Amino acid sequence: MLVQQVNPLLILLLAALIMLSLMALMPWLFSLSRSRSKAVREEVVELVGCPKCGHEYSRKYERGSYVGKEVGACPRGDGPLVVKAIYVERHEGPE
Amino acid sequence: MNGGSEVVSYLIVLLFLTSLLMNFTDIPQRIQLQRFSSFVRRKLYVLEEMESDARRKAVAYLSAAGIREASKVLDGFVDNFFLIRPVEMEPTDIIKRLRHLIRTRESSVRDYVRRVLGTAERSVQYSVETVLEVVSVLRLLNKLVRHYLELGLKHNNWILVMQLAIQMPEILEIAKAYANSVDAFTSGMPIGDGAGPLVAKMLVGWGEPRREIVEGTDLYEAEVEGRKVYAIKASGPGSNVGWPGEALEKLVGELGGAVDRIITVDAALKLESEETGEVAYGTGAAIGDLGPEKIAIERVAGNYSIPLDAVVVKMSEAEALGPLTKKIHEGVVKAYEVVRRTIVEKVREGGTVIVVGVGNTVGIR
C-alpha cells in the first residue's frame, strides 16, 4: 500500500543520490583498504666473508662499517675476513 | 499522493537549475580549483615536513662532523650553487662547455665544504656535500610545487592546479626517496645506486685499489681465468660517484688502446612491470650522468674500436637512493655472474678487459 503511494521518480532520485554519495566516498574507502598493509620489520645486516676460501656469514650491521673493511682473520684459512656487503632485510609480520 | 508529486516536481526543477549552473557557468571549474588546490596544499604540508626532517638530520650530521653553525652553513648552500646549462642552439663543443661548468660547480661546492669543514677525511667531505645536495633538492621541489600552486590560483588556472594535483603523488615519491636517502648518507650505508661499484668490488675480490687514476676515482687490477681485468670505481667509502669517463679515457690511453672489451655496470630505473633486482645486459655505456662522462666512454670505445657492453640492475628511484636491500644485493650477485661470464666467453685468454662500476660508492671502500 505504502509502496504504491510513493512516486517511482522519487525512488529513482533517492537511488541516484545514494549512488552519488557512494561515489564521493569511494576514494576514502579505497584509502582505508590500502592503509591496512602488513607491518614490515627492517634489519640491517652485513655479509662478512673470506675472499680466499669463500667462508661467509651474516651479522648485525655495525655503524661505521663499510664494504671492503677488514674485520679480522678467517678462522678456516690464512685469508682476511672482509665485509662483502651491507643490506637491509625486510621481514613481514608483527614488529 | 499529491505530497510525493510535489517533492518530485521540486527536485526536478532543482535538478534542472543545477544542471544549468553546472553546464553554463564557471562554477564547476571554481569548485575543481578549490578541491585540487586544497589537495595540493595538504601534500605541500607533507613535503614541508619532509624538508624540515631532512634539515634536522642534516644539521645534526654536519654538527657531528665538526661544522660550527651548521644551520647557517646549510642555509648558505640550499639556494645557491645552481648550474646554468650551456647554450644548446649551438651544439659545437657543448660537451666541453658542459663538462667545464660541471667541474667548476663541483669545485665551488668542494671549496665551500672545505672552508666550513676544515681538515676532515675526504670520505666525510664527500658525504657532507651529498647531504647538502639532498636538502637542496628537497627545497627546490618544495619551491617548485608552491610556485605552480600560487601561479594557478593567481590566474584562476584550474588546469595548471589540476595537473599539479595529478602529479603530486609522483613528486611526493621522489621527495620521499630523497628524504630517506639522508639516513643512508649520514649513516654511511651503501645505497641501491651502489650496485655498479659493488659489482666492481666483487670482481676484484674486495681488494684494495692499485691507485687513484683520476681525482676521486680508483683503479683496481685482478685476473679472471687468465684474463687481465682492470676495474674502475669511485673512491669510497664516502658518498662519491667519481669521474668514470675521464678515468676510462686515461686508462685506455695508458694501455695504448690494447683493450679487448669494456663493460659498464650501473643501476637502472625499472619499469613498473619489472621486478627489483632484475639484471639485463646490452650494448652501450650504462651511466646516467648529464653527458660528459657518458660521451667520454662512448668516444674512447669508438676511437679504439673496443666493444662496449652494459649490464644493469633494475630498481625504482626510491630504491636507488635508499639503503641497499637484499633484493638488490641478489641482483648485484647476478650482475657479477653476468660480467664474469661475459669476460670468460667474449675475451680471449690473455686478453684485457676494463669493467667500470658506475654509481654512488657510499659505504663501499
Side-chain angles (χ1 to χ4, degrees):
Chain A
M1 192 68 181
L2 184 73
V3 174
Q4 279 175 351
Q5 281 177 359
V6 179
N7 195 316
L9 259 174
L10 185 66
I11 296 172
L12 199 70
L13 283 166
L14 282 172
L17 196 71
I18 291 166
M19 286 286 284
L20 273 171
S21 313
L22 274 175
M23 279 170 75
L25 285 173
M26 209 67 105
W28 179 69
L29 289 170
F30 274 127
S31 72
L32 268 187
S33 67
R34 269 203 300 268
S35 63
R36 270 189 232 117
S37 56
K38 286 179 188 169
V40 176
R41 187 167 52 88
E42 286 188 346
E43 190 186 11
V44 185
V45 294
E46 52 184 47
L47 195 65
V48 177
C50 171
K52 279 191 178 173
C53 70
H55 163 65
E56 62 181 30
Y57 63 94
S58 61
R59 66 180 193 187
K60 211 174 157 189
Y61 167 71
E62 286 169 16
R63 207 175 165 93
S65 191
Y66 54 84
V67 175
K69 186 183 182 183
E70 272 194 36
V71 288
C74 177
R76 289 192 193 168
D78 56 351
L81 274 180
V82 295
V83 177
K84 289 182 165 183
I86 299 166
Y87 53 82
V88 176
E89 266 188 341
R90 292 198 170 100
H91 309 278
E92 278 189 4
E95 293 276 333
Chain B
M1 186 83 178
N2 284 342
S5 311
E6 255 176 51
V7 172
V8 171
S9 308
Y10 283 132
L11 279 173
I12 287 171
V13 171
L14 193 69
L15 208 66
F16 181 71
L17 285 173
T18 315
S19 164
L20 273 180
L21 282 173
M22 290 298 181
N23 285 304
F24 301 104
T25 66
D26 285 344
I27 292 171
Q29 280 76 20
R30 299 269 169 172
I31 295 171
Q32 298 267 33
L33 186 68
Q34 285 312 312
R35 271 188 61 209
F36 288 125
S37 65
S38 78
F39 174 79
V40 174
R41 262 195 210 102
R42 278 202 306 276
K43 299 297 175 192
L44 204 55
Y45 291 136
V46 180
L47 261 181
E48 274 168 9
E49 191 47 50
M50 277 184 200
E51 190 198 327
S52 311
D53 195 37
R55 279 183 72 96
R56 269 195 299 274
K57 286 175 185 166
V59 167
Y61 178 68
L62 298 183
S63 303
I67 295 177
R68 276 177 293 168
E69 295 187 291
S71 191
K72 269 190 186 169
V73 170
L74 194 62
D75 287 335
F77 185 88
V78 288
D79 288 324
N80 300 310
F81 297 102
F82 54 81
L83 176 81
I84 300 171
R85 291 177 77 102
V87 176
E88 288 167 8
M89 207 192 298
E90 167 56 75
T92 312
D93 76 0
I94 189 168
I95 288 296
K96 197 178 160 191
R97 285 182 277 135
L98 181 60
R99 188 183 167 126
H100 173 68
L101 293 175
I102 292 170
R103 299 282 169 124
T104 308
R105 183 190 177 271
E106 172 126 352
S107 156
S108 307
V109 170
R110 201 140 285 170
D111 286 346
Y112 179 80
V113 172
R114 215 173 277 152
R115 211 165 45 241
V116 294
L117 197 58
T119 49
E121 255 183 69
R122 207 164 62 168
S123 61
V124 175
Q125 190 189 324
Y126 286 158
S127 294
V128 166
E129 281 171 28
T130 310
V131 168
L132 291 174
E133 298 274 13
V134 169
V135 179
S136 198
V137 170
L138 285 168
R139 178 92 205 101
L140 181 67
L141 277 174
N142 230 326
K143 273 162 67 173
L144 280 174
V145 171
R146 189 169 285 282
H147 166 74
Y148 285 113
L149 175 67
E150 284 179 10
L151 199 69
L153 292 173
K154 187 176 166 186
H155 300 294
N156 279 326
N157 187 342
W158 67 277
I159 292 177
L160 187 67
V161 180
M162 184 182 75
Q163 279 178 321
L164 188 61
I166 290 167
Q167 284 180 333
M168 274 319 282
E170 272 177 78
I171 295 170
L172 275 176
E173 206 165 293
I174 294 168
K176 203 174 161 190
Y178 276 98
N180 288 343
S181 74
V182 177
D183 286 329
F185 290 124
T186 53
S187 68
M189 272 179 61
I191 58 169
D193 189 43
L198 201 49
V199 170
K201 200 75 190 171
M202 284 176 83
L203 210 61
V204 297
W206 292 273
E208 286 296 302
R210 176 65 50 134
R211 64 189 157 105
E212 189 178 33
I213 185 161
V214 294
E215 198 203 342
T217 314
D218 288 340
L219 175 70
Y220 294 77
E221 286 178 33
E223 206 179 288
V224 172
E225 296 188 32
R227 283 91 173 156
K228 178 87 179 165
V229 178
Y230 290 97
I232 291 169
K233 69 172 271 299
S235 314
S239 170
N240 174 31
V241 290
W243 304 108
E246 191 188 338
L248 182 72
E249 248 175 358
K250 192 173 174 189
L251 179 61
V252 175
E254 284 175 9
L255 296 170
V259 177
D260 296 285
R261 208 160 195 97
I262 297 168
I263 305 169
T264 52
V265 192
D266 195 9
L269 285 185
K270 72 178 182 81
L271 300 174
E272 282 302 313
S273 56
E274 289 176 322
E275 283 290 319
T276 296
E278 268 182 33
V279 173
Y281 58 90
T283 305
I287 177 167
D289 82 316
L290 288 172
E293 297 305 305
K294 188 173 187 173
I295 207 162
I297 296 174
E298 288 170 353
R299 277 196 179 132
V300 77
N303 289 346
Y304 290 97
S305 299
I306 306 166
L308 179 60
D309 291 323
V311 178
V312 294
V313 182
K314 308 275 180 79
M315 63 192 77
S316 69
E317 192 159 4
E319 287 167 328
L321 287 166
L324 191 88
T325 61
K326 193 179 182 186
K327 255 187 167 180
I328 298 173
H329 179 252
E330 284 165 0
V332 167
V333 175
K334 275 187 234 163
Y336 160 73
E337 282 159 7
V338 169
V339 171
R340 213 184 147 88
R341 200 173 60 231
T342 309
I343 293 171
V344 174
E345 287 174 3
K346 294 184 178 173
V347 178
R348 65 185 166 81
E349 221 174 314
T352 304
V353 58
I354 301 174
V355 177
V356 188
V358 179
N360 192 312
T361 195
V362 60
I364 306 164
R365 168 71 183 92

